[in-house]
Amino acid sequence: MSLSPIREDICRLGRSLFDRGYTHGTSGNISVLLDDGRMIVTPTDSSLGELDPATLTLLGSDGSTMDGRAPTKELPLHSALYRTRGAARAIVHLHSTHSVAASMLPDLDPADVFPPLTAYYLMKVGRTALLPYFRPGDPRVADAIDALAGRYSSILLANHGPVVSGLSLTAAGAAIEELEQTAKLYLLVGHRQANLLDITEASALRCD
Ligand SMILES: [Zn+2]
């Protein structure tokens, strides 16, 4: 099976996210898990806006580097989420501004960070867990993700950023964009009393 289309899809999504301000500098990383257990992931210290299909990292099913540059230092995030979300085939992690800002607020519910503001958040994301702050690349973040036991496709790392898994790269990309826009809405609404979707409607729409 040629991996070229997948490599090109990762680079196209990275550029699209970068060009629209969802990520900046060399922050953020993207991976796709192949059916045979190998993984294609963005390299360390690379801008999502300037990815090269030829230098993306190919990891074997044992985690060893088979091809390309050294993988992102945040690989433990990806490995842990794939390990606990069996059907996941793609993961996107960003340091997107509104999600990071929301992650710093006090009194968030770590089991369900955002209230039911819109139908599309519930349909594309469902529910978001909040994990405490870990230094980027700290392997203990994998233990925290393991403890979520695969219940969440969407996770917000405090003072760091969101990480979202999907059944496909397209789905993961769409979900993390929806999450970022939800965080923006959440910040815009602030502490005003917003009219939320009612519990029956929210339960009917949630994708998780
Ligand atoms: Zn990060």
Side-chain angles (χ1 to χ4, degrees), residues 16-96:
S16 172
L17 291 168
F18 187 90
D19 285 350
R20 291 177 296 134
Y22 281 90
T23 192
H24 56 275
T26 56
S27 67
N29 29 77
I30 301 171
S31 68
V32 168
L33 183 67
L34 306 174
D35 289 340
D36 61 10
R38 291 180 297 166
M39 190 195 305
I40 301 176
V41 62
T42 50
T44 186
D45 291 327
S46 55
S47 163
L48 291 192
E50 296 180 345
L51 294 172
D52 176 356
T55 61
L56 295 180
T57 313
L58 177 64
L59 298 173
S61 55
D62 61 354
S64 61
T65 302
M66 299 173 69
D67 188 27
R69 293 174 48 204
T72 169
K73 288 187 277 293
E74 299 191 289
L75 185 62
L77 276 181
H78 296 251
S79 304
L81 202 46
Y82 284 128
R83 192 162 58 239
T84 53
R85 295 280 295 183
R89 287 295 175 270
I91 291 172
V92 182
H93 165 56
L94 300 174
H95 297 175
S96 44

Side-chain angles (χ1 to χ4, degrees):
M1 181 182 80
S2 168
L3 301 181
S4 295
I6 300 172
R7 290 173 177 273
E8 286 164 12
D9 286 348
I10 290 173
C11 295
R12 193 178 306 117
L13 176 62
R15 171 166 287 283
S16 172
L17 291 168
F18 187 90
D19 285 350
R20 291 177 296 134
Y22 281 90
T23 192
H24 56 275
T26 56
S27 67
N29 29 77
I30 301 171
S31 68
V32 168
L33 183 67
L34 306 174
D35 289 340
D36 61 10
R38 291 180 297 166
M39 190 195 305
I40 301 176
V41 62
T42 50
T44 186
D45 291 327
S46 55
S47 163
L48 291 192
E50 296 180 345
L51 294 172
D52 176 356
T55 61
L56 295 180
T57 313
L58 177 64
L59 298 173
S61 55
D62 61 354
S64 61
T65 302
M66 299 173 69
D67 188 27
R69 293 174 48 204
T72 169
K73 288 187 277 293
E74 299 191 289
L75 185 62
L77 276 181
H78 296 251
S79 304
L81 202 46
Y82 284 128
R83 192 162 58 239
T84 53
R85 295 280 295 183
R89 287 295 175 270
I91 291 172
V92 182
H93 165 56
L94 300 174
H95 297 175
S96 44
T97 306
H98 300 91
S99 297
V100 178
S103 80
M104 299 170 184
L105 296 176
D107 304 324
L108 296 173
D109 178 358
D112 191 5
V113 175
F114 298 109
L117 294 171
T118 70
Y120 271 83
Y121 169 69
L122 299 169
M123 290 157 58
K124 297 287 184 188
V125 181
R127 217 182 291 267
T128 300
L130 177 71
L131 290 183
Y133 172 77
F134 294 97
R135 188 175 294 179
D138 185 338
R140 289 178 300 170
V141 75
D143 299 333
I145 291 175
D146 283 343
L148 296 175
R151 292 192 303 275
Y152 295 89
S153 63
S154 172
I155 298 166
L156 192 54
L157 307 172
N159 301 71
H160 181 167
V163 53
V164 172
S165 68
L167 303 181
S168 67
L169 188 58
T170 303
I176 204 162
E177 286 190 34
E178 194 62 41
L179 177 64
E180 173 65 7
Q181 294 303 324
T182 300
K184 186 175 181 179
L185 283 175
Y186 186 66
L187 295 170
L188 285 170
V189 169
H191 289 297
R192 291 185 289 275
Q193 285 293 328
N195 292 319
L196 304 174
L197 301 188
D198 67 39
I199 289 176
T200 308
E201 179 69 358
S203 318
L205 290 169
R206 272 190 209 284
C207 64
D208 55 355

